[in-house]
């Protein structure tokens, strides 16, 4: 669903329309490119200095519960702000915001924000979309050989629902706030 209004377009729905059984053949298609803002600090969730400087795509085969499968590509868009991996500082001794899980974390952040552009909070597919986002996170960490992937996956399955359901904004609203920060020199003078 896209609007006819000018501004950022969320593009195609990144979520499978059916229940998934598993994800296979996961691959990263692009290099992850960030800008770290020197003076601009976004005070809206996610509070961050990090912004994607280019689109970041992943591809996978999604095997559906009905027996079918299809190839799916997801694009975290240029301009997206991220807090990298949303790991509380008290746990950084085990897994910090940067590590082998970084790429999967950024796409997971995107999916946790993107569902707001395609679903109402009461939509019956809300749980299915969150399950897919979390399964994609695990598949990405598996490909990246993250040692702590099972505890990290269990953490997002345990507490991620609160974050997933409670966003008072859409990604479209945020991207329209965030893209000008990327395009105006990202807070650097001179």
């Amino acid at each position: 669903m896209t609007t006819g209004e000018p501004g950022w377009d969320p593009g195609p729905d990144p979520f499978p329309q059916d229940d998934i059984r598993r994800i296979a053949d996961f691959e990263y298609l692009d290099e992850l490119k960030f800008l770290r803002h020197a003076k601009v600090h976004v005070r809206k969730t996610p509070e961050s200095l990090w912004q994607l400087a280019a689109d970041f795509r992943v591809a996978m085969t999604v095997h559906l519960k009905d027996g079918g499968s299809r190839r799916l590509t997801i694009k975290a868009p240029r301009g997206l702000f991220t807090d990298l991996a949303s790991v509380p500082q008290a746990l950084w001794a085990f897994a910090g915001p940067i590590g082998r899980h970084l790429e999967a974390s950024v796409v997971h952040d995107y999916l946790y924000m993107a569902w707001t552009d395609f679903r109402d909070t009461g939509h019956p597919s809300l749980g299915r979309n969150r399950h897919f986002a979390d399964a994609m996170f695990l598949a990405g960490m598996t490909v990246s050989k993250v040692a702590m992937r099972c505890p990290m996956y269990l953490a997002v399955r345990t507490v991620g629902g609160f974050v997933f359901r409670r966003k008072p904004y859409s990604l479209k609203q945020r991207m329209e706030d965030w893209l000008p920060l990327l395009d105006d020199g990202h807070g650097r003078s001179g």
Side-chain angles (χ1 to χ4, degrees):
M1 164 173 82
T2 60
T3 65
E5 301 169 13
W8 185 75
D9 181 351
D13 187 340
F15 296 97
Q17 300 305 306
D18 299 301
D19 291 329
I20 66 164
R21 186 169 36 91
R22 67 184 179 94
I23 294 173
D25 309 317
F26 187 95
E27 62 181 322
Y28 296 105
L29 301 177
D30 302 307
E31 292 296 320
L32 187 57
K33 297 178 182 176
F34 288 113
L35 288 176
R36 184 178 186 281
H37 288 264
K39 295 180 182 177
V40 177
H41 188 91
V42 175
R43 301 253 180 243
K44 296 178 183 178
T45 304
E47 290 190 24
S48 178
L49 298 173
W50 298 96
Q51 189 172 26
L52 288 183
D55 292 342
F56 181 64
R57 297 170 304 137
V58 299
M60 67 205 78
T61 301
V62 178
H63 295 271
L64 306 173
K65 285 191 176 177
D66 70 6
S69 66
R70 70 179 182 105
R71 195 75 177 147
L72 179 66
T73 300
I74 297 173
K75 177 179 75 174
R78 172 188 179 274
L80 180 80
F81 265 89
T82 178
D83 61 353
L84 308 177
S86 307
V87 179
Q89 192 168 0
L91 300 177
W92 284 6
F94 303 102
I98 298 173
R100 288 179 179 250
H101 56 280
L102 179 60
E103 289 86 354
S105 297
V106 169
V107 179
H108 188 256
D109 277 358
Y110 162 68
L111 289 173
Y112 263 44
M113 287 186 262
W115 76 267
T116 59
D117 290 308
F118 302 99
R119 306 285 184 259
D120 294 325
T121 55
H123 195 280
S125 64
L126 185 65
R128 180 176 66 220
N129 290 346
R130 179 176 167 239
H131 175 261
F132 170 71
D134 295 348
M136 182 286 317
F137 181 56
L138 180 60
M141 288 192 299
T142 300
V143 165
S144 297
K145 297 179 176 38
V146 175
M148 298 289 291
R149 67 182 168 266
C150 290
M152 292 175 76
Y153 172 74
L154 289 173
V156 299
R157 289 304 300 157
T158 303
V159 298
F162 178 78
V163 175
F164 192 81
R165 285 189 292 270
R166 307 242 185 259
K167 287 186 301 309
Y169 58 85
S170 72
L171 180 57
K172 179 173 174 39
Q173 291 167 324
R174 287 301 165 86
M175 289 298 291
E176 289 177 354
D177 289 343
W178 294 341
L179 277 169
L181 296 174
L182 183 65
D183 294 334
D184 75 0
H186 51 278
R188 300 182 192 280
S189 57

